[in-house]
Amino acid sequence: MLSSISSTIKWKAFSMLNRLADVRSQTSAEPGIYPPTNYSDSAGDLIWVFCSTIGELNACLPFIKSLELRGQLVLITDRHCYRESYQKHFGNAYVVELTGRTTDGSYLTAQLPPSLFFVCEIPAMPCDAPCRLSYGLLHQAKSVGARVHLVNAWLYDYAPACRMDSLEVRLFRKEYLDSFDSIGVQNENIRSRLIQAGAREERISITGNMKFDSLWDENIRITDETSRPILSYLENSNSPIVVAGCLADIDECYILIDAIRAIRISHPDIRFIIAPRHPENQCFMQSLTEKLEQSGLVYKMKSKLSTADLAGNDLLLLDTFGELKSFYSIATICYVGCNHNVLEPLAFGKPTIVSGEWNPLYPSYPVYQLTRDKKLIMHVDKSEGISRKIIEYATKNASEEGRSKQIFAQLKSLSGAVERTLKTTQLASYQ
């Protein structure tokens, strides 16, 4: 009881400090709430789901789908660029864009009071990851009686971004972890570290990585009318297709573009699609397009196409959200950007290559390490290595059916995290 009173007093004082900071920074006063595009009056209780980016949404997609059957989804993000993509996946869901203010929680619970609240993957501790989820959102959800769960948890080990974030970590790390009725983690290391940080041992379970369950969702959702004829055109072109996705490092892009230039000299029939991880980053996109201009490659940007006209084009720049999976599905060979999800192309049994120095602190690393050890992906370095491996696979005439079956068998054995999470959160029998 005394602990609860102390936490309440701390939170009120911290909230006052934040309000002063908010006045100075002149940030948006209220979260953006966007109603479902396909609304149903009989959707049931409100279920909040925090997915910072499309990466977390895709990683936990089959789990979130199971929640959709149990109530009205409210998808929450701290970014202002994913609303359209989220609504493409879940047309019956509300989408909420947070401001980062401590008042977000009280505003949202007044407008959309939850019965359940799920935090997908990050942040497993306050300010630990490259996203902004205030303890206040968890605090307010608990105050209206919601059950709160952390699923597919991972630790990024980021430092707080500012003094107020540092203060929040010091004041509320224990309360943040105590807010969760259950915590499902990806491995023993994360479990041990959260217990050391103050999480209750009896509330933590090792459930595995939901990314392996996401592989078996084979539906390709194409809602953009321009994409359908583009994909059809590429599939019927009888040309090898290379799809390079999740490119977030500009130097890696430069190396890849140099490789593409070299390949086009000897194999002009090979078609290329490259997909930046964050096409909303204007500085990144400017650097990328300047490099393409200097390279002499003829390219078109997906966002500026109104037809499937790719004639005379060396490269398609996929600068739109939520479509990478559909392009992976038609690829001959795939390249995945450093520190990103190699499972998306592997789900289609595609030969997949990577390069660069992968960071052990990123949630993509265990999957990278495991798939590399099992020889499901190929790690090559420098432009010459990338060129050589792409040409090798793009010019193979043998059927890849046997390789695909081998990939599927190995990945299938690693699935099951969604079912274990449903049991951990007591949703297996929850209606």
Side-chain angles (χ1 to χ4, degrees):
M1 182 65 177
L2 288 175
S3 175
S4 177
I5 293 172
S6 173
S7 294
T8 300
I9 293 171
K10 280 196 301 182
W11 178 248
K12 287 183 177 179
F14 182 72
S15 297
M16 289 177 63
L17 286 173
N18 267 273
R19 288 191 186 101
L20 292 174
D22 291 338
V23 169
R24 289 197 299 270
S25 65
Q26 296 182 336
T27 56
S28 176
E30 296 173 349
I33 299 178
Y34 302 93
T37 54
N38 303 318
Y39 186 73
S40 171
D41 289 331
S42 58
D45 292 341
L46 294 171
I47 301 175
W48 287 7
V49 182
F50 178 75
C51 289
S52 176
T53 75
I54 193 71
E56 286 73 47
L57 183 117
N58 284 334
C60 300
L61 192 61
F63 178 74
I64 300 171
K65 282 185 177 180
S66 75
L67 299 180
E68 189 178 31
L69 302 175
R70 293 171 163 84
Q72 172 68 61
L73 287 184
V74 180
L75 299 177
I76 302 173
T77 175
D78 61 320
R79 315 297 172 96
H80 290 188
C81 60
Y82 293 116
R83 172 163 47 104
E84 184 178 349
S85 296
Y86 284 17
Q87 289 181 327
K88 283 181 181 179
H89 281 289
F90 297 98
N92 294 322
Y94 285 90
V95 176
V96 172
E97 295 176 346
L98 298 176
T99 69
R101 288 183 171 218
T102 57
T103 53
D104 283 352
S106 56
Y107 181 80
L108 287 180
T109 50
Q111 302 295 318
L112 300 168
S115 62
L116 291 165
F117 182 15
F118 294 89
V119 176
C120 288
E121 200 161 306
I122 56 173
M125 286 195 288
C127 307
D128 164 80
C131 61
R132 175 65 179 149
L133 177 66
S134 171
Y135 161 68
L137 208 64
L138 279 67
H139 173 82
Q140 200 64 33
K142 296 289 285 187
S143 74
V144 297
R147 292 158 57 197
V148 181
H149 304 279
L150 173 61
V151 300
N152 215 46
W154 183 262
L155 290 168
Y156 265 92
D157 291 321
Y158 270 44
C162 61
R163 281 181 293 179
M164 292 304 294
D165 284 357
S166 296
L167 184 59
E168 182 170 355
V169 173
R170 289 200 299 272
L171 290 175
F172 300 109
R173 185 173 67 177
K174 182 67 164 62
E175 283 86 349
Y176 184 94
L177 292 169
D178 271 346
S179 299
F180 297 113
D181 294 282
S182 75
I183 299 175
V185 301
Q186 294 185 25
N187 57 40
E188 174 59 41
N189 178 52
I190 303 300
R191 178 181 179 274
S192 298
R193 292 180 58 195
L194 287 179
I195 291 171
Q196 188 177 15
R200 300 188 189 187
E201 184 172 356
E202 67 275 12
R203 295 186 183 181
I204 304 182
S205 301
I206 300 172
T207 52
N209 192 335
M210 288 184 191
K211 287 180 180 177
F212 290 102
D213 294 73
S214 298
L215 297 178
W216 316 118
D217 173 27
E218 297 176 355
N219 295 319
I220 304 299
R221 299 170 187 80
I222 307 168
T223 58
D224 181 85
E225 291 303 317
T226 306
S227 294
R228 296 179 190 276
I230 290 174
L231 290 164
S232 178
Y233 174 85
L234 290 170
E235 277 192 294
N236 295 326
S237 67
N238 295 319
S239 296
I241 298 168
V242 180
V243 177
C246 295
L247 298 169
D249 181 85
I250 195 63
D251 290 331
E252 183 177 21
C253 290
Y254 293 167
I255 292 171
L256 184 63
I257 290 170
D258 287 341
I260 292 172
R261 284 185 63 201
I263 293 168
R264 292 290 296 171
I265 294 172
S266 58
H267 294 81
D269 60 320
I270 299 177
R271 294 180 174 274
F272 293 87
I273 295 100
I274 64 173
R277 173 67 173 173
H278 292 291
E280 78 282 2
N281 184 329
Q282 294 182 4
C283 291
F284 181 93
M285 292 301 292
Q286 182 177 347
S287 297
L288 177 58
T289 53
E290 285 177 356
K291 175 66 174 178
L292 285 170
E293 296 286 350
Q294 294 166 8
S295 72
L297 293 169
V298 179
Y299 73 95
K300 293 185 179 179
M301 300 178 74
K302 164 63 174 53
S303 62
K304 296 182 179 180
L305 286 177
S306 57
T307 69
D309 180 19
L310 297 176
N313 183 58
D314 297 327
L315 183 149
L316 175 64
L317 184 57
L318 190 63
D319 60 334
T320 49
F321 291 105
E323 298 184 289
L324 178 56
K325 184 177 180 180
S326 60
F327 281 86
Y328 277 147
S329 73
I330 65 165
T332 307
I333 182 170
C334 298
Y335 177 98
V336 176
C338 188
N339 295 317
H340 287 94
N341 185 11
V342 298
L343 293 179
E344 285 189 326
L346 288 178
F348 297 104
K350 303 296 181 179
T352 301
I353 62 175
V354 300
S355 67
E357 296 293 328
W358 286 60
N359 191 329
L361 299 180
Y362 280 26
S364 56
Y365 189 83
V367 173
Y368 155 77
Q369 187 176 47
L370 183 60
T371 53
R372 184 178 179 179
D373 289 346
K374 290 180 175 291
K375 302 188 185 313
L376 298 176
I377 62 172
M378 297 153 283
H379 189 124
V380 295
D381 281 314
K382 299 184 179 179
S383 174
E384 296 82 3
I386 296 171
S387 301
R388 188 164 51 250
K389 190 58 69 173
I390 286 177
I391 291 172
E392 175 187 334
Y393 275 90
T395 56
K396 274 188 175 180
N397 295 318
S399 170
E400 289 294 319
E401 183 179 350
R403 175 182 171 82
S404 295
K405 287 182 178 179
Q406 180 188 27
I407 291 174
F408 293 149
Q410 292 195 59
L411 295 181
K412 192 73 174 178
S413 67
L414 299 170
S415 64
V418 169
E419 182 180 352
R420 289 187 288 271
T421 301
L422 289 171
K423 290 179 180 178
T424 298
T425 57
Q426 300 178 10
L427 284 182
S429 59
Y430 176 79
Q431 300 294 332

